[in-house]
């Protein structure tokens, strides 16, 4: 009958318990008469504790305390006079002892992996005196192991790599499992390894856990990764043992076992002839199943008629071969820009090789690690612009050339097969002054204006050549025209000379050294000749000496110059160049007579130059003073006008004031300006107002008392009323300084009859007599009847 895992564990526990109980007699206390034991009051022989080591099976699962062993002293007669005490590791908490019998029990489940043994101390005491009857002695309770821990891979899961195409038995990785059970007792910790998943590609050594390849020629390109499951089982792999598993991911690393191969034996590409130098013509790639450095390739053109026209390089990222146009080669007909030329050659053939850069000698037998292909490049025709026979033309012309003189000729042609006629023109952006013309058909360049080398010695112009059938196609040629010099500029002073001579100068004294310049540029350099003009050659004051080095020296002929007699001398000097024909000019040297100090340094030459400030004459000073006075007068006038504007207004009594508008040159306060005027005062002529002083008028201004308007005609009343209001507004300090609409709601002084209101009569309760109304005529008869006191009166 086969036992299961649980049944087998229980069987081991029972067997161990039986062995422990059978050895208890050897563990009981026995007397030893080797040494005496002394107690107070009497002397007797010492009894010793003697027993073997106790064993307790771990992981006891019963409900009752587990019996460990028994302690017994030969002094114990069984009458209960002896008491047993246990102390040490786990005493009372894990292990308990029956103080009467000495039986030891374990009250808790024990785990050998937590603690393998416990050290305790036992003592036998007299129950009455509580004194020891035996010496205290130590003993050990050892926990006996059972197989309760499975093997564990503490470093899993694992990853490893092995080169592809490795031989059988190549080590991949070692796995290790640990078992917490006691390795010194039984087979609980003896582990055996096996492979559960990963056959037949890999195997594992049962004792060491080393994983090795089990199949030859494993190809990464076919499968590059494998998942293995490794098992570790204790009890030497026997039935009933515990096991644990881990996973191992094995990756095949690449080796260069695949040569490059072009997918096609030939390629064809069409490119326009206008493609510039360094342009990409094509991209080709040889297939290589390897990766990384094993797939790196190099390409080269090994044969063909395009060796000097094209070149090939490798793209490091994609491992493609990039074919580009290289610089022009004389072997092939390529135009001056380095581009392809359909008219010269319509196609090219290239023989290209691709080879691995890193070759593994172990796999040379798999074939050559290179491949060849053919690339044919077809050049397509493109309508190209005309091409000049030279990129740069150099021409010369004399600056004396007449208008229309031929300078040179440029030539261009249409490179296309049609060979269309070409027309020429000058790019006027390079000839803004239009010095030159070109014949549109022949390309002959002529002068259009007189040339001046001193203005521009070299003219760089651009000539345009366009096809007559397609004017959009324009070629450009460059012409450098050098202007040859002629002697057309007379020499002159190198600078404006103005020198001085001292009044006490001696004869033969040098007063100035002069030189000359010439805008011309003769081939052999300048040579100037200096002399005095014929009129000045016999003067008695100064002479000229030619130094023969393009300079001349001015010297005095006499002494005793005096400013009072003549303060300035003008010496005409004649200068001739060495040109053919030679040119000459007369230049005047100004010499001022000055008062000099002992060292010959000029102190005073004339009043105007040294007394007045430099560049400022007496007339200029007078003009400046006049301008200042004029400005002062203008300022005074402006101030005066402003003061007059601030004076009180003067009114014309003859004007009709009803048509006047008073303005204060301000925009006013708007509808909310309710405090500008007291409107009640305008509606009542007889209101008495306090005299106020306007803030912008002197306080001394006073107004006369208002006249009585009752005896004045109506038009005069209204006019006086309005004038009064205007004057008060002008001097009122509370009046706003802006335009404001004033309302003159004055109705006059009333009639001679004064008030005729019947309401006033009734409300006043007066005894006034209105009988006089009867005397006013028929018009007032009705009123007389209403207010009279006669017998016909309606009211009493």
């Amino acid at each position: 009958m086969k036992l299961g895992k649980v049944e087998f564990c229980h069987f081991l526990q029972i067997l161990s318990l039986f062995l422990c109980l059978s050895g208890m007699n050897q563990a009981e206390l026995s007397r030893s008469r080797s040494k005496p034991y002394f107690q107070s009051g009497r002397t007797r022989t010492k009894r010793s504790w003697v027993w073997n080591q106790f064993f307790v099976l771990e992981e006891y699962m019963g409900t009752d305390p587990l019996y460990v062993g028994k302690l017994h002293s030969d002094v114990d007669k069984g009458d209960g006079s002896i008491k047993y005490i246990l102390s040490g590791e786990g005493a009372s908490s894990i292990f308990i002892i029956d103080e009467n019998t000495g039986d030891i029990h374990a009250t808790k489940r024990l785990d050998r992996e937590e603690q393998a043994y416990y050290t305790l101390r036992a003592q036998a005491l007299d129950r009455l005196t509580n004194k020891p009857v035996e010496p205290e002695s130590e003993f050990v309770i050892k926990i006996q192991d059972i197989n309760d821990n499975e093997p564990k891979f503490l470093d899993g899961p694992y990853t490893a790599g092995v080169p592809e195409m490795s031989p059988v038995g190549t080590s991949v990785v070692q796995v290790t499992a640990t078992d917490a059970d006691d390795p010194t007792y039984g087979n609980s910790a003896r582990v055996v390894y096996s492979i559960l998943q990963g056959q037949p590609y890999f195997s594992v050594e049962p004792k060491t856990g080393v994983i090795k390849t089990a199949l030859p020629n494993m190809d990464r390109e076919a499968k590059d990764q494998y998942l293995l499951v490794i098992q570790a089982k204790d009890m030497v792999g026997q039935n009933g043992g515990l096991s644990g598993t881990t996973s191992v991911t094995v990756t095949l690393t690449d080796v260069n076992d695949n040569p490059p191969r072009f997918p096609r034996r030939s390629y064809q590409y069409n490119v326009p002839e206008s493609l510039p130098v360094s342009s990409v013509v094509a991209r080709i790639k040889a297939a290589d199943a390897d990766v990384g450095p094993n797939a790196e390739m190099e390409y080269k053109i090994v044969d063909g008629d395009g060796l000097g026209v094209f070149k090939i390089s490798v793209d490091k990222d994609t491992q493609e071969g990039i074919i580009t146009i290289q610089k022009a080669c004389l072997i092939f007909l390529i135009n001056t820009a380095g581009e392809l030329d359909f008219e010269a050659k319509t196609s090219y053939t290239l023989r290209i090789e691709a080879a691995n850069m890193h070759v593994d000698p172990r796999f040379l037998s798999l074939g050559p690690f290179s491949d060849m292909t053919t690339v044919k490049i077809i050049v397509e025709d493109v309508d190209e612009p005309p091409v000049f026979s030279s990129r740069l033309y150099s021409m010369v012309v004399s600056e004396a050339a007449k208008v229309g003189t031929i300078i040179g000729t440029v030539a261009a042609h249409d490179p296309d097969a049609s060979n269309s006629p070409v027309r020429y023109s000058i790019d006027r952006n390079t000839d803004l002054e239009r010095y030159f013309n070109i014949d549109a058909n022949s390309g002959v360049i002529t002068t259009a204006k007189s040339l001046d080398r001193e203005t521009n010695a070299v003219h760089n112009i651009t000539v345009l050549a366009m096809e007559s059938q397609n004017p959009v196609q324009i070629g450009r040629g460059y012409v450098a025209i050098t202007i040859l010099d002629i002697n057309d500029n007379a020499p002159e002073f190198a600078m404006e000379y103005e020198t001085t001579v001292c009044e006490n100068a001696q004869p033969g004294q040098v007063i100035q050294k002069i030189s000359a310049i010439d805008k011309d540029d003769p081939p052999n350099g300048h040579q100037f000749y200096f002399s005095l003009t014929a009129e000045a050659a016999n003067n008695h004051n100064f002479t000229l000496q030619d130094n023969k080095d393009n300079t001349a020296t001015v010297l005095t002929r006499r002494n005793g110059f005096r400013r009072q007699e003549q303060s300035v001398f003008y010496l005409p000097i004649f200068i001739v160049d060495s040109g053919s024909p030679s040119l000459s000019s007369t230049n005047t040297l100004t010499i001022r007579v000055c008062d000099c100090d002992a060292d010959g340094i000029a102190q005073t030459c004339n009043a105007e130059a040294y007394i007045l400030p430099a560049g400022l004459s007496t007339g200029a000073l007078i003009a400046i003073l006049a301008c200042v006075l004029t400005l002062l007068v203008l300022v005074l006038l402006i101030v005066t006008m402003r003061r007059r504007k601030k004076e009180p207004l003067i009114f014309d009594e003859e004007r009709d004031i009803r048509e006047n508008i008073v303005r204060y040159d301000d925009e006013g306060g708007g509808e909310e300006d309710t405090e500008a005027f007291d409107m009640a005062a305008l509606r009542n002529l007889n209101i008495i107002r306090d005299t106020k002083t306007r803030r912008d008028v002197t306080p001394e201004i006073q107004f006369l008392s208002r006249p009585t308007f009752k005896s004045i005609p109506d038009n005069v009343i209204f006019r006086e009323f309005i004038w009064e209001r205007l004057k008060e507004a002008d001097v009122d300090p509370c009046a706003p300084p802006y335009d404001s609409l004033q309302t003159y709601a004055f109705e006059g002084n009333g009639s001679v009859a004064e008030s005729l209101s019947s309401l006033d009569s009734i409300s006043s309760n007066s005894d006034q007599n209105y009988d006089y109304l009867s005397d006013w005529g028929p018009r007032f008869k009705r009123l007389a009847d209403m207010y009279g006191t006669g017998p016909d009166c309606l009211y009493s």
Side-chain angles (χ1 to χ4, degrees):
M1 182 179 66
K2 294 184 179 180
L3 296 178
K5 178 179 178 182
V6 178
E7 290 81 357
F8 181 75
C9 291
H10 289 169
F11 172 75
L12 290 177
Q13 292 175 358
I14 296 171
L15 179 62
S16 299
L17 183 61
F18 174 77
L19 292 175
C20 292
L21 293 176
S22 64
M24 283 300 297
N25 292 330
Q26 298 177 0
E28 292 180 354
L29 297 175
S30 64
R31 294 182 181 181
S32 175
R33 307 187 185 278
S34 60
K35 294 181 182 179
Y37 179 74
F38 297 96
Q39 289 184 341
S40 59
R42 61 178 179 173
T43 303
R44 70 176 185 84
T45 304
K46 175 184 177 183
R47 304 294 195 270
S48 298
W49 299 96
V50 178
W51 59 75
N52 291 331
Q53 191 177 45
F54 289 159
F55 292 90
V56 178
L57 193 65
E58 69 170 335
E59 303 294 345
Y60 171 71
M61 305 298 293
T63 57
D64 298 330
L66 177 64
Y67 182 75
V68 177
K70 184 180 181 64
L71 298 178
H72 185 73
S73 175
D74 58 359
V75 179
D76 189 1
K77 302 301 182 179
D79 56 0
S81 61
I82 302 300
K83 178 174 64 173
Y84 297 96
I85 297 175
L86 192 66
S87 63
E89 291 181 313
S92 300
S93 60
I94 299 176
F95 303 101
I96 59 174
I97 189 170
D98 189 332
E99 64 178 14
N100 296 319
T101 65
D103 293 333
I104 302 174
H105 292 82
T107 60
K108 294 183 178 180
R109 182 174 61 87
L110 301 178
D111 188 356
R112 189 202 67 84
E113 287 70 41
E114 292 182 1
Q115 187 165 344
Y117 60 90
Y118 295 86
T119 301
L120 294 96
R121 293 182 299 277
Q123 195 171 27
L125 302 177
D126 186 287
R127 189 179 296 276
L128 297 176
T129 62
N130 204 28
K131 293 182 179 180
V133 298
E134 295 286 352
E136 184 181 57
S137 180
E138 286 187 352
F139 66 95
V140 175
I141 299 177
K142 187 174 181 180
I143 310 303
Q144 191 172 3
D145 184 49
I146 64 171
N147 188 19
D148 60 341
N149 290 279
E150 72 278 2
K152 295 182 179 179
F153 293 91
L154 301 181
D155 298 329
Y158 296 84
T159 58
V162 63
E164 63 174 333
M165 310 300 290
S166 296
V168 175
T170 302
S171 178
V172 179
V173 68
Q174 183 178 14
V175 296
T176 303
T178 59
D179 195 321
D181 293 325
D182 189 358
T184 63
Y185 178 77
N187 296 324
S188 298
R190 295 182 61 184
V191 177
V192 174
Y193 300 94
S194 62
I195 184 168
L196 301 181
Q197 177 181 324
Q199 302 94 341
Y201 306 102
F202 299 93
S203 63
V204 62
E205 290 187 356
K207 293 183 178 181
T208 62
V210 175
I211 300 173
K212 298 181 179 180
T213 58
L215 283 181
N217 302 326
M218 286 191 293
D219 191 3
R220 184 198 67 83
E221 287 71 36
K223 186 176 181 180
D224 63 346
Q225 198 171 81
Y226 297 86
L227 180 63
L228 282 63
V229 177
I230 306 298
Q231 175 184 269
K233 190 174 184 180
D234 58 14
M235 299 298 292
V236 201
Q238 297 177 0
N239 291 336
L242 304 179
S243 64
T245 60
T246 188
S247 64
V248 181
T249 303
V250 180
T251 303
L252 297 183
T253 58
D254 186 58
V255 297
N256 192 8
D257 59 337
N258 293 278
R261 292 290 180 263
F262 283 106
R264 297 167 56 184
R265 293 294 91 192
S266 64
Y267 298 87
Q268 179 173 315
Y269 298 94
N270 295 348
V271 296
E273 64 174 332
S274 60
L275 210 61
V277 172
S278 301
S279 297
V280 176
V281 174
R283 287 176 175 264
I284 60 175
K285 184 179 181 180
D288 192 332
D290 297 322
V291 294
N294 297 319
E296 291 181 358
M297 285 177 282
E298 57 181 355
Y299 298 85
K300 60 181 178 179
I301 302 174
V302 297
D303 195 8
D305 57 0
L307 281 172
V309 182
F310 302 96
K311 66 178 181 179
I312 189 169
S313 59
V314 63
D315 188 328
K316 298 297 183 181
D317 297 328
T318 63
Q319 296 300 315
E320 291 179 308
I322 305 173
I323 303 174
T324 57
I325 304 174
Q326 65 177 349
K327 291 184 179 179
C329 180
L330 296 177
I331 299 176
F332 301 100
L333 297 176
I334 300 179
N335 62 19
T336 54
E339 302 170 351
L340 303 175
D341 189 358
F342 171 82
E343 288 72 29
K345 193 172 181 61
T346 59
S347 66
Y348 297 90
T349 301
L350 306 175
R351 188 76 175 158
I352 296 177
E353 179 189 59
N356 277 140
M357 296 181 64
H358 309 285
V359 179
D360 194 333
R362 297 177 298 172
F363 306 103
L364 290 176
S365 60
L366 298 179
F369 283 80
S370 63
D371 197 18
M372 303 283 290
T373 189
T374 300
V375 178
K376 186 174 184 180
I377 299 174
I378 306 298
V379 181
E380 297 179 341
D381 187 25
V382 175
D383 191 5
E384 300 173 276
V387 178
F388 283 88
S389 59
S390 175
R391 295 287 292 176
L392 178 64
Y393 296 87
S394 297
M395 302 178 183
V396 294
V397 62
S398 173
E399 65 175 326
K402 296 181 179 179
V403 175
T405 300
I406 296 176
I407 302 173
T409 304
V410 297
H413 70 282
D414 183 6
D416 299 319
S418 59
N419 194 18
S420 300
V422 176
R423 294 182 62 82
Y424 303 93
S425 63
I426 294 177
D427 185 355
R428 291 306 176 184
N429 291 324
T430 61
D431 184 27
L432 297 175
E433 301 295 331
R434 296 181 176 268
Y435 283 109
F436 307 99
N437 287 328
I438 188 170
D439 187 274
N441 297 316
S442 63
V444 175
I445 299 175
T446 58
T447 58
K449 282 184 178 182
S450 297
L451 304 176
D452 186 7
R453 187 203 66 84
E454 289 72 35
T455 303
N456 194 351
V458 179
H459 294 265
N460 294 304
I461 63 173
T462 301
V463 178
L464 307 178
M466 63 184 68
E467 296 181 11
S468 57
Q469 295 181 359
N470 186 8
V472 177
Q473 297 296 335
I474 300 175
R476 284 175 169 79
Y478 303 97
V479 181
I481 302 174
T482 303
I483 310 301
L484 300 179
D485 184 45
I486 63 171
N487 192 25
D488 58 343
N489 290 278
E492 58 186 13
F493 277 161
M495 58 180 292
E496 283 291 333
Y497 293 104
E498 184 171 349
T499 186
T500 61
V501 61
C502 295
E503 290 182 316
N504 57 356
Q506 300 298 319
Q509 182 176 338
V510 176
I511 63 172
Q512 183 66 49
K513 186 176 182 179
I514 60 175
S515 62
I517 58 173
D518 194 329
K519 295 180 181 179
D520 295 320
D521 188 18
N524 299 324
H526 291 288
Q527 181 61 50
F528 301 118
Y529 304 96
F530 299 88
S531 64
L532 295 177
T533 61
E535 296 82 2
N538 298 322
N539 77 89
H540 302 288
N541 301 311
F542 305 99
T543 184
L544 182 69
Q545 176 183 328
D546 192 340
N547 298 326
K548 307 300 182 181
D549 60 353
N550 291 341
T551 64
T553 304
V554 179
L555 303 94
T556 58
R557 271 190 173 181
R558 68 180 180 87
N559 59 0
F561 294 93
R562 299 189 60 184
R563 287 180 296 161
Q564 291 77 5
E565 295 179 358
Q566 186 173 351
S567 62
V568 181
F569 291 90
Y570 299 100
L571 185 65
I573 299 175
F574 188 69
I575 307 175
V576 182
D577 61 17
S578 58
S580 180
S582 61
L583 297 179
S584 63
S585 66
T586 300
N587 299 265
T588 302
L589 177 64
T590 302
I591 304 172
R592 295 186 180 277
V593 181
C594 297
D595 180 21
C596 302
D597 58 12
D599 297 328
I601 300 175
Q603 298 296 317
T604 303
C605 293
N606 55 66
E608 181 176 342
Y610 289 90
I611 294 175
L612 293 178
L616 196 62
S617 63
T618 305
L621 289 175
I622 295 173
I624 291 173
L625 291 175
C627 291
V628 171
L629 291 174
T630 303
L631 289 175
L632 290 174
V633 171
L634 289 175
V635 171
L636 291 174
L637 288 175
I638 292 172
V639 172
T640 304
M641 293 297 294
R642 287 187 176 181
R643 287 184 178 179
R644 293 189 61 186
K645 286 183 178 180
K646 292 182 180 181
E647 293 178 359
L649 298 174
I650 301 174
F651 301 100
D652 187 2
E653 297 290 342
E654 299 298 328
R655 292 183 302 169
D656 189 356
I657 205 64
R658 288 175 296 177
E659 296 180 357
N660 258 5
I661 297 176
V662 178
R663 299 185 60 185
Y664 290 93
D665 294 327
D666 197 283
E667 295 187 0
E671 295 179 357
E672 297 182 359
D673 184 18
T674 59
E675 297 181 5
F677 297 97
D678 185 1
M679 308 308 283
L682 293 177
R683 288 179 170 85
N684 192 349
L685 177 63
N686 297 322
I687 189 170
I688 299 176
R689 302 180 64 180
D690 295 337
T691 303
K692 298 180 180 179
T693 304
R694 187 178 176 89
R695 284 173 291 184
D696 55 352
V697 182
T698 54
E700 289 77 14
I701 298 177
Q702 300 292 334
F703 291 95
L704 299 175
S705 59
R706 299 186 186 95
T708 303
F709 298 119
K710 292 184 178 181
S711 60
I712 305 176
D714 287 344
N715 60 338
V716 178
I717 292 173
F718 284 109
R719 183 167 58 186
E720 291 298 331
F721 172 78
I722 293 175
W723 272 113
E724 283 294 323
R725 295 297 182 264
L726 283 175
K727 290 178 182 179
E728 290 181 2
D730 286 339
V731 299
D732 187 1
C734 300
Y738 42 77
D739 293 346
S740 179
L741 180 63
Q742 301 187 40
T743 303
Y744 303 108
F746 176 59
E747 298 181 359
N749 290 323
S751 63
V752 178
E754 296 182 350
S755 177
L756 300 178
S757 173
S758 59
L759 297 177
D760 183 54
S761 302
I762 296 174
S763 61
S764 61
N765 294 323
S766 63
D767 296 329
Q768 186 176 356
N769 187 4
Y770 295 99
D771 292 339
Y772 61 89
L773 292 176
S774 301
D775 301 332
W776 287 5
R779 293 183 179 180
F780 297 91
K781 185 178 186 302
R782 184 61 177 170
L783 289 175
D785 294 338
M786 293 175 59
Y787 291 92
T789 57
D792 297 331
C793 184
L794 295 176
Y795 300 92
S796 60

